[in-house]
């Protein structure tokens, strides 16, 4: 349970801290797993709690190897973080 929490916190932190010019689309919107999830599901993740719940879902799916496809890395920093989380799990 603690591992899931720490992985979720780490996964939340990546899109909030990564700053790379290649991470922005033509409209100037930063492309992260959060914006991709919002676009694909038609939802709006406004609060930290909502982002944390989605991130916790991702970490549980990674740890249990059940599989997922709805939350995916969208930029280099997220891919690196994703690889790290998979290796840890």
């Amino acid at each position: 349970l603690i591992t899931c929490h720490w992985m979720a916190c780490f996964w939340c932190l990546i899109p909030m801290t990564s700053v790379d010019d290649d991470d922005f689309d033509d409209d100037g919107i930063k492309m992260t797993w959060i914006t991709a999830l919002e676009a694909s599901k038609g939802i709006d993740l406004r609060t930290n709690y909502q982002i944390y719940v989605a991130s916790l879902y991702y970490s549980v799916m990674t740890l249990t190897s059940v599989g997922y496809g709805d939350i995916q890395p969208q930029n280099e920093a997220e891919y690196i973080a994703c690889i790290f989380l998979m290796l840890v799990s």
Side-chain angles (χ1 to χ4, degrees):
L1 191 58
I2 295 295
T3 303
C4 289
H5 168 72
W6 283 110
M7 286 178 68
C9 291
F10 181 71
W11 190 238
C12 285
L13 185 67
I14 298 302
M16 295 177 187
T17 59
S18 65
V19 179
D20 190 355
D21 291 338
D22 296 335
D23 295 346
F24 293 90
D25 67 4
D26 295 336
D27 297 328
I29 298 172
K30 185 177 180 181
M31 290 305 299
T32 66
W33 69 265
I34 297 169
T35 55
L37 182 62
E38 289 175 329
S40 69
K41 298 283 188 186
I43 59 175
D44 191 13
L45 300 174
R46 292 182 180 221
T47 67
N48 288 338
Y49 174 75
Q50 291 170 315
I51 294 170
Y52 174 76
V53 169
S55 184
L56 185 61
Y57 164 78
Y58 174 83
S59 68
V60 170
M61 289 295 112
T62 300
L63 285 170
T64 60
S65 312
V66 173
Y68 44 84
D70 52 346
I71 298 178
Q72 301 172 351
Q74 299 295 312
N75 57 54
E76 184 178 354
E78 290 178 357
Y79 275 103
I80 292 168
C82 189
I83 291 167
F84 173 76
L85 293 175
M86 285 185 214
L87 290 174
V88 167
S89 66

